[in-house]
Amino acid sequence: MAKVTSKEAGAAETAENRAEAKPRQAPEKEQNISQESASTQEAVYKANELAVHAKKLFGTRQECVAAALQAVGKTEGTVAEAKKIVEKFLSREVK
């Protein structure tokens, strides 16, 4: 049987404490998901900025984009949100 000195026992306890003190790191898969979601965030634009670029972004006139966003009460949003709103607005039935 080997004798364990108090110095060796103290070193072992210190190593255990260090392991417990380290912050828990998220698994690699979770880190990748959070990095992807951060990089896929879209920029938010004001309604007038979206309207100015209506032809290029939505293939329609500025007035249509402005009216569509105003109809739903949006003052700002992403291009994807605005695109959905404009498409819905343009496909509405005229009474």
Side-chain angles (χ1 to χ4, degrees):
M1 272 175 70
K3 284 188 174 180
V4 178
T5 63
S6 61
K7 187 175 185 179
E8 291 172 346
E13 287 178 11
T14 305
E16 287 177 16
N17 290 342
R18 279 191 220 134
E20 290 175 8
K22 285 185 180 179
R24 183 186 158 278
Q25 290 184 349
E28 213 173 289
K29 192 173 187 178
E30 289 178 3
Q31 288 178 344
N32 289 341
I33 292 171
S34 64
Q35 288 174 352
E36 287 175 13
S37 63
S39 66
T40 58
Q41 286 183 338
E42 291 187 54
V44 177
Y45 300 98
K46 293 188 180 209
N48 63 344
E49 292 175 311
L50 293 166
V52 168
H53 300 286
K55 191 71 168 176
K56 181 180 174 185
L57 295 173
F58 312 110
T60 190
R61 298 184 337 201
Q62 292 181 9
E63 295 86 356
C64 295
V65 175
L69 295 173
Q70 187 175 13
V72 295
K74 281 283 214 180
T75 58
E76 57 184 27
T78 64
V79 173
E81 290 173 338
K83 193 168 201 159
K84 288 178 187 177
I85 293 168
V86 170
E87 287 173 357
K88 187 175 179 181
F89 181 81
L90 293 175
S91 65
R92 287 192 331 189
E93 183 180 334
V94 179
K95 295 181 181 180

